């Protein structure tokens, strides 16, 4: 009985022996155990896609370009700016033009392009004065009264000049606000009254 017991102990020692380093390397790694006791499959190797993307903005005319409220540049182009993937607010601003604001979704590893043309802010000038009077705005001839329709002008101050051979020339500076009509009713002074 003693001999049988020794033989069984020797057999058990052989089973418990660790495999050689060569044998160990040949075996695939065992999957890690999850906390609930089930096996987790090994992660397959993959190409990492960056967590960022790029944006390229062209704007006409040159403007202040901001991303997420942060001024990036003043110019006609913002080239290949790297941003975290996700939603970003683009704003382009230039005095005399309507602000442009857009939310752009930047995708991982991709380039988003925007070509933006800012809309000029305008107002209108409606003029009533003696028929046949010639209208000059900022030194340029713009028509003869009656004009037929209000005149579109960029927002801002403009030098208005009215010329009529029977009247004294009238000149003044007028401010034209955005999306509004400035109405001028001018009574010109006859030349005979100035003598």
């Amino acid at each position: 009985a003693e001999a049988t017991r020794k033989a069984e102990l020797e057999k058990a020692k052989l089973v418990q022996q660790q495999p050689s380093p060569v044998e160990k390397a040949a075996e695939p790694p065992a999957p890690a155990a999850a906390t609930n006791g089930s096996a987790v499959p090994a992660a397959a190797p993959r190409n990492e896609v960056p967590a960022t993307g790029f944006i390229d903005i062209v704007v006409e005319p040159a403007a202040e370009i901001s991303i997420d409220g942060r001024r990036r540049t003043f110019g006609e182009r913002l080239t290949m700016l790297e941003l975290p993937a996700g939603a970003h607010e683009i704003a382009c601003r230039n005095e005399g033009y309507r602000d442009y604001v857009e939310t752009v979704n930047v995708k991982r590893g991709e380039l988003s392009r925007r070509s933006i043309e800012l809309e000029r802010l305008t107002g209108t000038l409606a003029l009533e004065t003696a028929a046949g009077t010639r209208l000059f705005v900022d030194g340029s001839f713009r028509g003869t009264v009656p004009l037929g329709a209000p005149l579109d002008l960029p927002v801002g101050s403009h030098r208005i000049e009215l010329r009529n051979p029977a009247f004294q020339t009238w000149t003044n500076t007028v401010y034209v606000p955005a999306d509004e009509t400035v109405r001028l009713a001018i009574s010109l002074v006859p030349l005979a009254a100035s003598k």
Side-chain angles (χ1 to χ4, degrees):
E2 188 68 30
T4 308
R5 188 163 162 70
K6 279 186 182 182
E8 286 177 1
L9 282 175
E10 286 298 320
K11 200 180 207 184
K13 281 184 188 178
L14 286 175
V15 171
Q16 289 179 353
Q17 272 186 342
Q18 296 295 325
S20 69
V22 173
E23 292 171 352
K24 208 177 216 180
E27 292 178 350
T35 53
N36 65 4
S38 64
V40 174
R46 58 183 172 147
N47 292 336
E48 263 315 296
V49 176
T52 60
F54 297 89
I55 192 154
D56 185 89
I57 300 170
V58 176
V59 62
E60 181 64 38
E64 177 181 287
I65 302 171
S66 300
I67 309 283
D68 298 328
R70 181 174 165 217
R71 184 180 189 270
R72 297 297 182 144
T73 189
F74 185 94
E76 294 180 345
R77 186 157 200 173
L78 179 65
T79 307
M80 296 290 291
L81 177 67
E82 186 172 6
L83 294 170
H88 296 278
E89 183 182 86
I90 297 172
C92 299
R93 293 181 174 85
N94 187 337
E95 189 175 331
Y97 292 85
R98 208 168 296 286
D99 289 353
Y100 177 90
V101 178
E102 176 186 5
T103 299
V104 175
N105 189 26
V106 174
K107 294 182 181 172
R108 294 170 57 144
E110 292 186 13
L111 171 64
S112 295
R113 295 180 191 267
R114 292 293 180 271
S115 182
I116 300 162
E117 186 172 335
L118 297 181
E119 177 187 348
R120 181 179 284 280
L121 291 173
T122 61
T124 55
L125 175 68
L127 179 64
E128 290 180 31
T129 194
T133 300
R134 297 178 348 147
L135 169 65
F136 293 81
V137 178
D138 300 323
S140 297
F141 176 70
R142 298 299 297 266
T144 302
V145 175
L147 296 174
L151 186 65
D152 287 332
L153 294 174
V155 168
S157 295
H158 298 278
R159 189 171 142 259
I160 307 298
E161 187 174 338
L162 303 175
R163 297 181 194 166
N164 187 315
F167 299 92
Q168 291 179 21
T169 298
W170 181 90
T171 304
N172 208 335
T173 300
V174 174
Y175 181 80
V176 178
D179 303 321
E180 292 185 25
T181 298
V182 174
R183 298 185 186 285
L184 296 179
I186 307 299
S187 295
L188 296 175
V189 176
L191 282 177
S194 64
K195 292 182 184 175

